[in-house]
Amino acid sequence: MYIRKNVDLAKYSTMRLGGKAKFLANINEKSDIPNYLDWAKEQGLEVITIGGGSNIIWGDKGFDGLVLVNKIPGIKFRKANQEEIFLTVGAGEQWDKVVKASTEKELHGIEALSLIPGTAGATPIQNVGAYGQEVSDTIESIEVYDRQSEQFVNLSNDSCKFGYRSSRFKDKDKGRFIIVSVTFCLNSANPKPPFYNSLQRYIDKLGITKFTPQVIRELVIAIRSSKLPDPDKVANNGSFFANPIVSNTSYYRIRKNFDNPEDIPAWKVKDGYKLSAAWLIEQVGFKDKHDKYTGMATWHLQPLVLVNEKAKSTKDLMKFRDKIQKKVFNEFGVNLIQEPELID
Ligand SMILES: Cc1cc2nc3c(=O)[nH]c(=O)nc-3n(C[C@H](O)[C@H](O)[C@H](O)COP(=O)(O)OP(=O)(O)OC[C@H]3O[C@@H](n4cnc5c(N)ncnc54)[C@H](O)[C@@H]3O)c2cc1C
């Protein structure tokens, strides 16, 4: 066991903010898990497992316990039947490396999830999704360490209770399981159109007619790179707010105040309308906004992405977040909900 003390947590969040971890250790193989957990139990410490830190923000106080950073490696392919292949990946593998490996083998199922930062083991937590695919579409099973029964167990797809950006790992059983590996069931047939709206529009514009997983991967990378900052170069957590769902009454109230209500981006959903958080932020004057008081900004190509230009603390980020939420609420009566998890 190798445990470091007083570790700066800013390096463990792509927002690059936060205090210190009392203790931090890497999990390099599954047998490390019970050893570290036993040690933490003896010391009476809280434990959290993380991957690449692309969906977390640490508070300025830091974490008064043991942070386990999942580094478990491994990418293995195994034939399931004539058409399908199982892909088992260690939780610590970089997700995009996994997608790349699958498209190089011409396998279809996760290619639209190209260029999403973070580790493979974190993808089931919020059922990572983009451009019409979600990991829950192809997850066969997940190997976890269950901190309740103190055993390694396999969970079937059904038992993970996946929903839109949700799962039991995020809700009911938060913190209970440490994900060790994920097995996907991928297909050797090529992806077929029609694709997700914005992807299809791009395909139509380029006039592409032959679709392979590799082609879709390249298109998704091109679209994402044209509007999202690379977290290795610009500190950010991707989309900072979820698209809010408002009641029919609220939606029609918002429409009344606009000369061209048809220009309001909105999608009919079961209980009302889903609005574009990016559009709301733009409307209240926060497009390409650089706030000298907090050192925070909104990304010039996508206002939904908050970037840390020179913030001194998580408190600065929270002040900037509050300004946006307050403006949107005052103008539209809509609450913007934060997406990345604040660990405070
Ligand atoms: C530029 C950018 C673009 C993004 N685009 C998308 C997108 O298109 N779609 C999307 O869904 N998300 C997107 N995200 C969010 C993020 O990349 C995903 O949520 C990703 O899966 C997080 O992986 P991570 O390894 O960084 O997890 P972390 O941020 O380290 O952890 C996230 C959560 O998972 C838990 N966790 C991590 N690993 C384990 C494990 N092995 N066992 C148990 N719990 C674990 C942590 O405790 C935490 O609760 C984006 C983020 C950025 C910065």
Side-chain angles (χ1 to χ4, degrees):
M1 287 204 299
Y2 174 58
I3 301 170
R4 288 156 62 201
K5 268 189 188 172
N6 293 325
V7 181
D8 189 357
L9 282 169
K11 292 186 190 128
Y12 295 89
S13 158
T14 55
M15 194 57 101
R16 308 270 173 260
L17 293 170
K20 286 181 190 294
K22 191 163 188 183
F23 299 102
L24 183 142
N26 289 343
I27 307 171
N28 295 310
E29 51 189 274
K30 66 188 244 192
S31 58
D32 290 342
I33 297 172
N35 295 337
Y36 283 122
L37 290 177
D38 285 349
W39 179 84
K41 203 172 183 178
E42 277 166 25
Q43 318 285 317
L45 293 170
E46 208 185 315
V47 177
I48 184 170
T49 311
I50 63 160
S54 62
N55 214 23
I56 50 180
I57 301 160
W58 301 103
D60 292 322
K61 292 199 304 285
F63 187 76
D64 192 28
L66 171 65
V67 176
L68 293 177
V69 186
N70 202 311
K71 299 269 185 189
I72 300 173
I75 300 184
K76 283 191 203 110
F77 295 92
R78 179 167 54 90
K79 196 168 173 171
N81 53 48
Q82 272 310 93
E83 275 178 22
E84 292 171 317
I85 307 280
F86 289 131
L87 163 61
T88 300
V89 292
E93 285 290 350
Q94 284 306 308
W95 173 248
D96 195 52
K97 188 177 150 198
V98 172
V99 180
K100 185 169 182 273
S102 79
T103 58
E104 279 170 358
K105 291 228 181 259
E106 298 180 356
L107 296 172
H108 153 57
I110 52 175
E111 63 279 5
L113 304 176
S114 292
L115 216 63
I116 295 180
T119 55
T123 60
I125 307 289
Q126 68 155 359
N127 185 16
V128 156
Y131 299 99
Q133 285 179 352
E134 290 183 322
V135 285
S136 62
D137 300 338
T138 43
I139 285 178
E140 177 73 16
S141 61
I142 303 179
E143 189 190 3
V144 296
Y145 183 80
D146 182 355
R147 294 176 64 189
Q148 218 166 69
S149 67
E150 301 189 335
Q151 277 175 348
F152 288 97
V153 285
N154 275 302
L155 302 177
S156 68
N157 180 310
D158 267 1
S159 69
C160 296
K161 305 281 174 249
F162 289 119
Y164 178 71
R165 297 297 165 274
S166 70
S167 72
R168 69 187 288 193
F169 308 113
K170 203 176 157 184
D171 307 324
K172 187 173 136 274
D173 287 317
K174 189 163 166 45
R176 172 174 165 186
F177 299 108
I178 296 181
I179 296 180
V180 174
S181 70
V182 186
T183 297
F184 296 87
C185 183
L186 304 177
N187 206 291
S188 51
N190 276 333
K192 288 195 188 76
F195 296 100
Y196 187 78
N197 275 350
S198 53
L199 179 57
Q200 186 65 52
R201 279 200 299 276
Y202 191 55
I203 286 169
D204 294 343
K205 196 171 126 196
L206 296 179
I208 292 168
T209 51
K210 188 171 178 280
F211 305 107
T212 63
Q214 187 63 31
V215 165
I216 299 299
R217 170 170 168 78
E218 282 164 18
L219 293 169
V220 167
I221 289 178
I223 300 175
R224 292 185 73 98
S225 315
S226 71
K227 58 178 189 188
L228 293 172
D230 174 354
D232 285 342
K233 296 183 186 133
V234 179
N236 79 95
N237 278 126
S239 301
F240 201 85
F241 301 106
N243 285 331
I245 291 174
V246 298
S247 66
N248 291 326
T249 323
S250 306
Y251 174 61
Y252 284 104
R253 182 179 39 75
I254 293 169
R255 277 177 69 102
K256 262 196 198 154
N257 295 328
F258 274 81
D259 294 340
N260 299 315
E262 297 314 318
D263 292 346
I264 302 174
W267 303 269
K268 182 81 190 107
V269 292
K270 202 170 130 248
D271 300 320
Y273 282 85
K274 189 194 261 184
L275 301 179
S276 157
W279 181 83
L280 292 166
I281 295 169
E282 220 176 299
Q283 293 304 307
V284 298
F286 273 72
K287 186 183 181 183
D288 197 12
K289 174 92 177 171
H290 299 261
D291 185 36
K292 64 177 181 188
Y293 299 105
T294 60
M296 292 294 305
T298 51
W299 186 238
H300 61 294
L301 300 167
Q302 171 50 278
L304 199 47
V305 177
L306 305 196
V307 303
N308 166 13
E309 293 188 318
K310 42 183 185 249
K312 291 191 184 64
S313 63
T314 304
K315 204 170 155 197
D316 285 337
L317 161 63
M318 294 304 136
K319 276 189 204 156
F320 188 62
R321 171 202 67 184
D322 293 349
K323 278 187 198 184
I324 297 176
Q325 284 175 323
K326 203 170 159 192
K327 280 247 179 193
V328 169
F329 186 78
N330 288 347
E331 202 146 317
F332 294 97
V334 173
N335 274 317
L336 288 182
I337 311 285
Q338 180 177 320
E339 276 215 327
E341 185 185 347
L342 173 65
I343 303 166
D344 209 5

